[in-house]
PDB file of all heavy atoms in Angstrom:
ATOM      1  N   SER A1093     -22.663   7.018   2.871  1.00 56.00           N
ATOM      2  CA  SER A1093     -22.647   8.125   3.821  1.00 56.00           C
ATOM      3  C   SER A1093     -21.699   9.221   3.353  1.00 56.00           C
ATOM      4  O   SER A1093     -20.872   9.027   2.471  1.00 56.00           O
ATOM      5  CB  SER A1093     -22.213   7.620   5.196  1.00 56.00           C
ATOM      6  OG  SER A1093     -20.846   7.262   5.157  1.00 56.00           O
ATOM      7  N   THR A1094     -21.830  10.383   3.983  1.00 57.00           N
ATOM      8  CA  THR A1094     -20.968  11.522   3.635  1.00 57.00           C
ATOM      9  C   THR A1094     -19.508  11.188   3.894  1.00 57.00           C
ATOM     10  O   THR A1094     -18.641  11.533   3.100  1.00 57.00           O
ATOM     11  CB  THR A1094     -21.387  12.760   4.455  1.00 57.00           C
ATOM     12  OG1 THR A1094     -22.768  12.994   4.240  1.00 57.00           O
ATOM     13  CG2 THR A1094     -20.588  13.975   4.053  1.00 57.00           C
ATOM     14  N   ILE A1095     -19.247  10.476   5.004  1.00 59.00           N
ATOM     15  CA  ILE A1095     -17.869  10.114   5.324  1.00 59.00           C
ATOM     16  C   ILE A1095     -17.325   9.164   4.264  1.00 59.00           C
ATOM     17  O   ILE A1095     -16.187   9.297   3.821  1.00 59.00           O
ATOM     18  CB  ILE A1095     -17.777   9.509   6.733  1.00 59.00           C
ATOM     19  CG1 ILE A1095     -18.032  10.603   7.774  1.00 59.00           C
ATOM     20  CG2 ILE A1095     -16.420   8.873   6.971  1.00 59.00           C
ATOM     21  CD1 ILE A1095     -18.037  10.134   9.202  1.00 59.00           C
ATOM     22  N   SER A1096     -18.140   8.215   3.807  1.00 62.00           N
ATOM     23  CA  SER A1096     -17.688   7.289   2.762  1.00 62.00           C
ATOM     24  C   SER A1096     -17.377   8.038   1.477  1.00 62.00           C
ATOM     25  O   SER A1096     -16.413   7.727   0.794  1.00 62.00           O
ATOM     26  CB  SER A1096     -18.752   6.228   2.497  1.00 62.00           C
ATOM     27  OG  SER A1096     -18.915   5.412   3.618  1.00 62.00           O
ATOM     28  N   LYS A1097     -18.208   9.034   1.147  1.00 59.00           N
ATOM     29  CA  LYS A1097     -17.947   9.834  -0.052  1.00 59.00           C
ATOM     30  C   LYS A1097     -16.642  10.598   0.107  1.00 59.00           C
ATOM     31  O   LYS A1097     -15.837  10.665  -0.827  1.00 59.00           O
ATOM     32  CB  LYS A1097     -19.095  10.809  -0.305  1.00 59.00           C
ATOM     33  CG  LYS A1097     -20.348  10.149  -0.817  1.00 59.00           C
ATOM     34  CD  LYS A1097     -21.449  11.174  -1.027  1.00 59.00           C
ATOM     35  CE  LYS A1097     -22.739  10.497  -1.454  1.00 59.00           C
ATOM     36  NZ  LYS A1097     -23.837  11.452  -1.581  1.00 59.00           N
ATOM     37  N   LYS A1098     -16.413  11.161   1.289  1.00 63.00           N
ATOM     38  CA  LYS A1098     -15.166  11.899   1.525  1.00 63.00           C
ATOM     39  C   LYS A1098     -13.970  10.964   1.453  1.00 63.00           C
ATOM     40  O   LYS A1098     -12.945  11.322   0.893  1.00 63.00           O
ATOM     41  CB  LYS A1098     -15.212  12.592   2.888  1.00 63.00           C
ATOM     42  CG  LYS A1098     -16.114  13.801   2.923  1.00 63.00           C
ATOM     43  CD  LYS A1098     -16.096  14.458   4.283  1.00 63.00           C
ATOM     44  CE  LYS A1098     -17.023  15.658   4.323  1.00 63.00           C
ATOM     45  NZ  LYS A1098     -17.076  16.260   5.658  1.00 63.00           N
ATOM     46  N   MET A1099     -14.130   9.756   2.021  1.00 61.00           N
ATOM     47  CA  MET A1099     -13.032   8.800   1.961  1.00 61.00           C
ATOM     48  C   MET A1099     -12.744   8.419   0.520  1.00 61.00           C
ATOM     49  O   MET A1099     -11.597   8.331   0.112  1.00 61.00           O
ATOM     50  CB  MET A1099     -13.352   7.548   2.780  1.00 61.00           C
ATOM     51  CG  MET A1099     -13.206   7.762   4.269  1.00 61.00           C
ATOM     52  SD  MET A1099     -13.177   6.249   5.268  1.00 61.00           S
ATOM     53  CE  MET A1099     -14.593   5.372   4.728  1.00 61.00           C
ATOM     54  N   LEU A1100     -13.784   8.177  -0.258  1.00 60.00           N
ATOM     55  CA  LEU A1100     -13.609   7.795  -1.650  1.00 60.00           C
ATOM     56  C   LEU A1100     -12.937   8.916  -2.433  1.00 60.00           C
ATOM     57  O   LEU A1100     -12.019   8.674  -3.218  1.00 60.00           O
ATOM     58  CB  LEU A1100     -14.954   7.430  -2.283  1.00 60.00           C
ATOM     59  CG  LEU A1100     -14.903   6.857  -3.690  1.00 60.00           C
ATOM     60  CD1 LEU A1100     -14.038   5.597  -3.716  1.00 60.00           C
ATOM     61  CD2 LEU A1100     -16.290   6.539  -4.181  1.00 60.00           C
ATOM     62  N   LEU A1101     -13.368  10.156  -2.196  1.00 61.00           N
ATOM     63  CA  LEU A1101     -12.729  11.296  -2.858  1.00 61.00           C
ATOM     64  C   LEU A1101     -11.279  11.429  -2.422  1.00 61.00           C
ATOM     65  O   LEU A1101     -10.399  11.704  -3.233  1.00 61.00           O
ATOM     66  CB  LEU A1101     -13.497  12.588  -2.561  1.00 61.00           C
ATOM     67  CG  LEU A1101     -14.806  12.762  -3.309  1.00 61.00           C
ATOM     68  CD1 LEU A1101     -15.546  13.999  -2.799  1.00 61.00           C
ATOM     69  CD2 LEU A1101     -14.564  12.887  -4.798  1.00 61.00           C
ATOM     70  N   GLY A1102     -11.033  11.217  -1.123  1.00 63.00           N
ATOM     71  CA  GLY A1102      -9.660  11.278  -0.619  1.00 63.00           C
ATOM     72  C   GLY A1102      -8.778  10.218  -1.247  1.00 63.00           C
ATOM     73  O   GLY A1102      -7.657  10.489  -1.662  1.00 63.00           O
ATOM     74  N   VAL A1103      -9.299   8.999  -1.341  1.00 61.00           N
ATOM     75  CA  VAL A1103      -8.540   7.901  -1.948  1.00 61.00           C
ATOM     76  C   VAL A1103      -8.300   8.187  -3.430  1.00 61.00           C
ATOM     77  O   VAL A1103      -7.212   7.947  -3.952  1.00 61.00           O
ATOM     78  CB  VAL A1103      -9.261   6.555  -1.740  1.00 61.00           C
ATOM     79  CG1 VAL A1103      -8.654   5.467  -2.595  1.00 61.00           C
ATOM     80  CG2 VAL A1103      -9.232   6.166  -0.277  1.00 61.00           C
ATOM     81  N   ALA A1104      -9.317   8.721  -4.116  1.00 57.00           N
ATOM     82  CA  ALA A1104      -9.152   9.055  -5.536  1.00 57.00           C
ATOM     83  C   ALA A1104      -8.077  10.126  -5.704  1.00 57.00           C
ATOM     84  O   ALA A1104      -7.241  10.045  -6.604  1.00 57.00           O
ATOM     85  CB  ALA A1104     -10.481   9.527  -6.126  1.00 57.00           C
ATOM     86  N   PHE A1105      -8.091  11.112  -4.804  1.00 56.00           N
ATOM     87  CA  PHE A1105      -7.085  12.171  -4.860  1.00 56.00           C
ATOM     88  C   PHE A1105      -5.694  11.591  -4.626  1.00 56.00           C
ATOM     89  O   PHE A1105      -4.742  11.899  -5.351  1.00 56.00           O
ATOM     90  CB  PHE A1105      -7.399  13.251  -3.810  1.00 56.00           C
ATOM     91  CG  PHE A1105      -6.320  14.282  -3.674  1.00 56.00           C
ATOM     92  CD1 PHE A1105      -6.153  15.260  -4.642  1.00 56.00           C
ATOM     93  CD2 PHE A1105      -5.474  14.265  -2.585  1.00 56.00           C
ATOM     94  CE1 PHE A1105      -5.153  16.201  -4.523  1.00 56.00           C
ATOM     95  CE2 PHE A1105      -4.466  15.206  -2.456  1.00 56.00           C
ATOM     96  CZ  PHE A1105      -4.309  16.175  -3.422  1.00 56.00           C
ATOM     97  N   ILE A1106      -5.576  10.723  -3.623  1.00 61.00           N
ATOM     98  CA  ILE A1106      -4.292  10.109  -3.313  1.00 61.00           C
ATOM     99  C   ILE A1106      -3.807   9.269  -4.488  1.00 61.00           C
ATOM    100  O   ILE A1106      -2.639   9.295  -4.849  1.00 61.00           O
ATOM    101  CB  ILE A1106      -4.406   9.261  -2.029  1.00 61.00           C
ATOM    102  CG1 ILE A1106      -4.622  10.181  -0.830  1.00 61.00           C
ATOM    103  CG2 ILE A1106      -3.171   8.400  -1.819  1.00 61.00           C
ATOM    104  CD1 ILE A1106      -5.034   9.452   0.430  1.00 61.00           C
TER     105      ILE A1106
END
Side-chain angles (χ1 to χ4, degrees):
S1093 69
T1094 305
I1095 290 177
S1096 294
K1097 287 179 184 176
K1098 286 181 181 177
M1099 284 194 309
L1100 187 58
L1101 285 173
V1103 168
F1105 172 75
I1106 292 168

